[in-house]
Amino acid sequence: MKEKINFLIKNFGIPRLIILSFLVVLLFLALILGMDVRRLISDSLVRVGRNALLVLALLPPIKAGIGLNFGLPVGIICGLVGLVLGLEYNLIGFYYLIFSFTIGGILAFLAGHLYGTLLNKVKGQEMMVGNYVGFAIVSLMCSFWLLAPFKNPSLIWAIGGSGLRYTLVLPSETSQLLDRVLSFSIMGIKIPTGTFLIFFLLCLLTSFFFKTRIGIAISTIGSNPIFGKASGMNIDKLRRFSIILSTILGSFGIIVYAQSFGFVQLYTAPLMMAFPAIACILIGGATLRKANIMNVVVGTFLFQSLLTITLPVITQVVAISGEAGDITEVLRVIISNGMILYALTRRGGD
């Protein structure tokens, strides 16, 4: 029995066990403070489903030995274009989501091909170059959002009559559409079933893909590129394929995120979106060359739950102590960046 417990602890990892214990302590503290614990858990689940696909998008490049995809905004931008075009044509409901997935996926395929080709030319510096590419594409698209000839009055600035607004509100028929599909409550805790179904379906497909011939080849060049080259594998092609897959998943991820959030955020909003996703997968136990679906699921749950529950509990404690002012935003920045810093120092997954 003792050996089994030690085996489980070793597999789950001490850092993840500490974070999980901290989450339990926070929930007990919220209960003592008279806060609505069920709502905190419901909000955490919504946030997990909202961000999970963006974390899953990081898996293929790690499998291929490229490392963490700091260029995730490339895929995010493709998804945003699909979302904005859907709004321009006044699409709503599932037609809007299917249209956005289609346009975002096609653009992500093309952009991923170019991005993957670039990364093949800078082997060994993929993460640094990816970071610059992510920042560059966001800055470039700021001009596009401002100059593109969109005509829908609900999207463009009222003064001047041109340029997309910073935040676009999704119609009520589309907002949280996936969250509401087959949703139900258990003891007052709301489960966003549709969003989780989409996430687990893509997890299943991704897992199945890495059991196919091309998926095994990608994993092989990631763990041992010399063996892969000696076996006659086309390393550049496989690396490029993994980036295309990551970019497509990134575009799907922002579409699921936006429909759950109820807003489409443009301009510099995607600039830092890769960092929380990277923190999630590292906290889940992934390394620069090794990751699996479980790292994605566990890391997203721990990071997003901690971020969701900590802020209201600490704010409540501060309010009881008699201190004035809202420190929510300050705490959010401290916790978010602190977790990212911690995760990046745990690159070995220990």
Side-chain angles (χ1 to χ4, degrees):
M1 186 65 182
K2 186 179 178 182
E3 288 78 12
K4 283 186 178 178
I5 293 174
N6 288 334
F7 178 76
L8 289 173
I9 292 175
K10 187 178 179 182
N11 274 346
F12 191 68
I14 299 295
R16 285 160 287 288
L17 205 59
I18 293 172
I19 294 172
L20 188 61
S21 304
F22 184 57
L23 269 176
V24 174
V25 170
L26 281 173
L27 288 174
F28 271 112
L29 187 58
L31 198 62
I32 293 170
L33 293 171
M35 299 176 69
D36 189 345
V37 175
R38 287 174 294 190
R39 182 174 179 181
L40 287 176
I41 297 175
S42 297
D43 290 345
S44 298
L45 291 177
V46 169
R47 193 157 179 156
V48 169
R50 185 182 296 168
N51 290 276
L53 263 185
L54 292 173
V55 184
L56 181 65
L58 299 172
L59 185 61
I62 295 177
K63 286 272 192 184
I66 296 173
L68 301 167
N69 184 12
F70 282 90
L72 189 62
V74 176
I76 291 174
I77 290 292
C78 295
L80 287 176
V81 173
L83 287 166
V84 172
L85 285 176
L87 288 174
E88 172 72 7
Y89 296 130
N90 290 316
L91 299 177
I92 58 172
F94 282 108
Y95 292 112
Y96 173 69
L97 290 184
I98 292 170
F99 177 83
S100 302
F101 279 127
T102 305
I103 297 296
I106 293 171
L107 291 176
F109 177 84
L110 299 173
H113 183 83
L114 295 174
Y115 178 39
T117 303
L118 173 65
L119 291 188
N120 278 337
K121 295 184 181 300
V122 293
K123 287 177 185 170
Q125 304 177 67
E126 292 95 336
M127 289 194 288
M128 184 184 70
V129 173
N131 209 356
Y132 284 122
V133 170
F135 283 177
I137 191 73
V138 171
S139 301
L140 181 67
M141 288 304 290
C142 284
S143 304
F144 175 79
W145 303 131
L146 205 58
L147 300 174
F150 290 99
K151 301 296 182 187
N152 192 326
S154 64
L155 306 182
I156 58 179
W157 292 106
I159 300 175
S162 64
L164 291 171
R165 299 178 186 181
Y166 191 90
T167 301
L168 308 178
V169 182
L170 291 180
S172 58
E173 296 88 345
T174 307
S175 179
Q176 300 178 340
L177 180 61
L178 293 177
D179 289 5
R180 286 184 269 121
V181 173
L182 301 175
S183 66
F184 61 95
S185 298
I186 300 177
M187 299 174 65
I189 298 172
K190 190 177 178 183
I191 311 294
T193 313
T195 306
F196 279 122
L197 282 177
I198 291 285
F199 170 59
F200 287 123
L201 175 64
L202 286 172
C203 280
L204 195 65
L205 291 175
T206 305
S207 179
F208 176 75
F209 169 76
F210 281 107
K211 288 183 172 56
T212 62
R213 186 176 176 182
I214 188 169
I216 292 171
I218 287 175
S219 300
T220 302
I221 64 163
S223 58
N224 193 337
I226 297 175
F227 174 77
K229 190 175 183 179
S231 302
M233 296 178 185
N234 189 333
I235 293 179
D236 285 356
K237 183 179 178 182
L238 292 169
R239 282 164 53 95
R240 187 165 54 241
F241 194 88
S242 72
I243 286 295
I244 291 173
L245 192 59
S246 173
T247 310
I248 292 175
L249 285 173
S251 74
F252 289 175
I254 193 63
I255 293 169
V256 172
Y257 179 97
Q259 69 79 33
S260 177
F261 192 43
F263 301 94
V264 179
Q265 294 178 299
L266 305 176
Y267 296 98
T268 57
L271 195 64
M272 307 300 287
M273 292 191 80
F275 291 87
I278 287 169
C280 285
I281 199 166
L282 287 175
I283 284 175
T287 67
L288 294 183
R289 288 189 174 273
K290 189 177 178 183
N292 55 43
I293 298 290
M294 193 52 68
N295 299 142
V296 173
V297 175
V298 172
T300 309
F301 173 77
L302 291 178
F303 183 83
Q304 296 299 339
S305 298
L306 194 63
L307 209 59
T308 309
I309 295 173
T310 304
L311 299 181
V313 172
I314 299 297
T315 302
Q316 184 75 5
V317 170
V318 171
I320 290 175
S321 68
E323 295 292 335
D326 183 6
I327 63 168
T328 305
E329 184 57 25
V330 176
L331 280 175
R332 190 193 68 77
V333 173
I334 293 174
I335 292 173
S336 178
N337 290 295
M339 293 286 284
I340 292 168
L341 182 62
Y342 165 78
L344 290 175
T345 60
R346 304 285 93 186
R347 293 185 304 175
D350 299 324

